[in-house]
Amino acid sequence: MTNVNRRIVLAARPHGEPNASHFRLEETRMPVAKAGEVLLANHYLSLDPYMRGRMSAAKSYAEPVAIGDTMVGATVAEVIESQHPDYRVGETVVGFGGWQDFAVSDGRGLRRLDPEAAPVTTALGILGMPGMTAYTGLLNIGQPKTGETVVVAAATGPVGSLVGQIAKRKGARAVGIAGGPEKCAFLRDTLGFDAAVDHRAEDFPDALAAACPDGIDVYFENVGGAVFDAVLPLLNNFARIPVCGLVSGYNATELPPGPDRVPVLMRAILSKRLHVQGFIVWDFAAQESAFLQDVGAWLREGLVVHREDIVDGLEKAPDAFAGLLQGRNFGKLIVRIR
């Protein structure tokens, strides 16, 4: 056991793509648990697109990370000291320990994990916030029905991959949009999507139209930009669009060049009676138990598949995070801290 805590803090707010200069690796003393608290040794750190928004001072649904503060993030950790009546030393929990070796918690936001029930890293992906995002966003807003076509962007990521698999379980056609032939093959051959379309291909809009001969009834939005431009003309009357993320624009420093496309979008919303709803996963916090029960059972029974992309070393987190925003990862991106 060491008394040193390595942590990665926000050193500067990025203008455009984040890079190494926006982070700083510091060494501080290991924190101490007081009465009613637990000391956690973080083993795995989740990297997710929402973190880019926390690096910005722009108004959003959550407070930004302050300059000099530890970067936020979900972690799987071991309880190494407990002064809390509900937790014992040696237990494994998932919480929000941040980009660091050790963290202290008062127990709020922690969930105890059973390593025998599922690999603990699934609590950061398919059985964690990304999985719950897919489950709640698709079922509450998308509401897929038998025979409908569900299209999801960033389809090999932890959210998109489960969206498509749940759509299949509901009797819908699942069409995934991903970057590159390898990811598209994974969607078809491993996840069982009905079709996969490469957004990097020159004929992407035509290929998407060919994959959706009956139009699109549900579009789960993770990307925005040129992907949404190709989706919009294919939307059927009364299509539902859960807006989960817009990762293509997270590093943008200015609005895209004209012409102004807002009137085209608004006309489509009106004439096709589209239902467009943005959401944050914790809007549906009351459904967490149902999500864990349903997706946990599907995972144990082999009815859903997940993929992880694990990077070793806390110091690798900044570069891995930059790669996440560029689409370099393949599956749920996780940093193995120790």
Side-chain angles (χ1 to χ4, degrees):
M1 180 64 64
T2 176
N3 62 357
V4 174
N5 180 40
R6 297 175 307 153
R7 64 175 191 157
I8 294 178
V9 304
L10 180 64
R13 302 202 186 279
H15 182 70
E17 293 190 7
N19 58 49
S21 70
H22 300 117
F23 303 93
R24 183 171 64 249
L25 178 63
E26 296 183 344
E27 290 189 355
T28 61
R29 290 189 62 83
M30 186 173 68
V32 176
K34 300 191 291 285
E37 296 180 334
V38 293
L39 177 61
L40 304 173
N42 293 327
H43 292 298
Y44 296 97
L45 166 68
S46 177
L47 295 182
D48 300 284
Y50 78 83
M51 295 170 175
R52 178 60 182 84
R54 302 291 178 88
M55 298 176 73
S56 169
K59 186 177 181 179
S60 185
Y61 64 89
E63 290 295 318
V65 176
I67 299 297
D69 278 1
T70 305
M71 282 291 297
V72 297
T75 52
V76 167
E78 178 187 354
V79 177
I80 59 173
E81 181 184 337
S82 178
Q83 297 194 44
H84 193 293
D86 295 337
Y87 294 95
R88 302 188 310 274
V89 171
E91 290 185 313
T92 302
V93 297
V94 60
F96 285 86
W99 296 28
Q100 58 185 342
D101 287 324
F102 301 98
V104 166
S105 171
D106 63 4
R108 287 179 292 182
L110 294 185
R111 174 163 61 89
R112 189 177 286 101
L113 301 178
D114 179 2
E116 299 298 321
V120 294
T121 52
T122 59
L124 301 177
I126 192 168
L127 295 181
M129 180 273 291
M132 186 169 166
T133 299
Y135 179 91
T136 57
L138 181 63
L139 297 183
N140 288 282
I141 303 170
Q143 300 181 12
K145 300 173 180 61
T146 299
E148 290 189 327
T149 296
V150 175
V151 174
V152 58
T156 60
V159 175
S161 60
L162 186 57
V163 165
Q165 292 180 86
I166 295 175
K168 292 289 292 180
R169 294 193 58 77
K170 295 297 179 179
R173 289 187 70 247
V175 178
I177 299 172
E182 184 183 7
K183 291 183 178 181
C184 287
F186 176 74
L187 291 175
R188 291 188 302 266
D189 301 339
T190 302
L191 299 187
F193 279 54
D194 295 283
V197 186
D198 184 354
H199 68 79
R200 296 175 182 168
E202 292 184 3
D203 65 342
F204 167 61
D206 292 336
L208 181 62
C212 305
D214 298 321
I216 298 172
D217 300 293
V218 180
Y219 173 55
F220 198 102
E221 175 66 285
N222 289 315
V223 172
V227 171
F228 183 74
D229 289 344
V231 166
L232 183 59
L234 305 177
L235 293 169
N236 290 331
N237 289 345
F238 306 103
R240 289 83 68 195
I241 308 173
V243 181
C244 171
L246 299 165
V247 71
S248 69
Y250 286 174
N251 290 328
T253 58
E254 58 186 15
L255 292 174
D260 181 2
R261 293 185 287 274
V262 171
V264 174
L265 172 61
M266 297 304 291
R267 189 179 306 117
I269 291 173
L270 172 61
S271 62
K272 294 186 176 184
R273 287 84 86 204
L274 304 177
H275 177 75
V276 183
Q277 182 177 337
F279 76 101
I280 306 302
V281 62
W282 302 119
D283 295 343
F284 304 107
Q287 299 175 16
E288 184 175 24
S289 295
F291 152 68
L292 290 171
Q293 180 177 336
D294 287 347
V295 180
W298 297 340
L299 186 63
R300 287 191 299 273
E301 296 166 16
L303 300 176
V304 292
V305 178
H306 72 110
R307 177 180 175 128
E308 296 175 340
D309 188 340
I310 296 182
V311 174
D312 282 304
L314 178 64
E315 69 281 0
K316 302 285 185 60
D319 181 67
F321 177 66
L324 171 70
L325 299 176
Q326 299 165 3
R328 293 204 313 252
N329 62 299
F330 192 168
K332 174 69 195 97
L333 185 58
I334 297 171
V335 175
R336 181 162 34 217
I337 296 176
R338 58 165 56 77

